[in-house]
Amino acid sequence: GAGAAKVSPSLLAELKSDPDLRAIPVVVLTTSQADEDILRSYSLHANAYVSKPVEAGDFMSVVRQIDDFFGSVAELPRWRAP
């Protein structure tokens, strides 16, 4: 598929392979809805895959929902400085 998901797998793989960074939640936010991009992102251990809306107001709503979820709902590990 087209879109940012083709650019980000190497960064996602790098983050998830680093012991000091792998616990950081990664949300892939992209215009792609291609099955192969979704599968690739989850196979590289993305924590969520979100197809971003085109309209600015809708986009900000999605970003707020992601922030609310990871900031208030999800239990995340307590971070310690390496």
Side-chain angles (χ1 to χ4, degrees):
K6 286 202 175 268
V7 176
S8 60
S10 62
L11 176 59
L12 180 56
E14 185 177 334
L15 287 170
K16 293 301 183 173
S17 68
D18 185 318
D20 293 329
L21 303 176
R22 75 170 48 126
I24 296 171
V26 175
V27 177
V28 175
L29 187 58
T30 179
T31 56
S32 174
Q33 295 179 332
D35 289 340
E36 64 266 18
D37 292 337
I38 297 167
L39 181 59
R40 182 182 318 113
S41 294
Y42 281 112
S43 70
L44 293 170
H45 306 288
N47 298 89
Y49 188 98
V50 178
S51 295
K52 64 183 177 184
V54 176
E55 297 296 322
D58 294 338
F59 174 75
M60 289 310 299
S61 176
V62 167
V63 170
R64 278 192 290 278
Q65 289 175 45
I66 293 168
D67 183 53
D68 286 347
F69 177 76
F70 283 102
S72 302
V73 178
E75 292 288 336
L76 301 174
R78 304 223 187 277
W79 305 108
R80 285 185 261 168

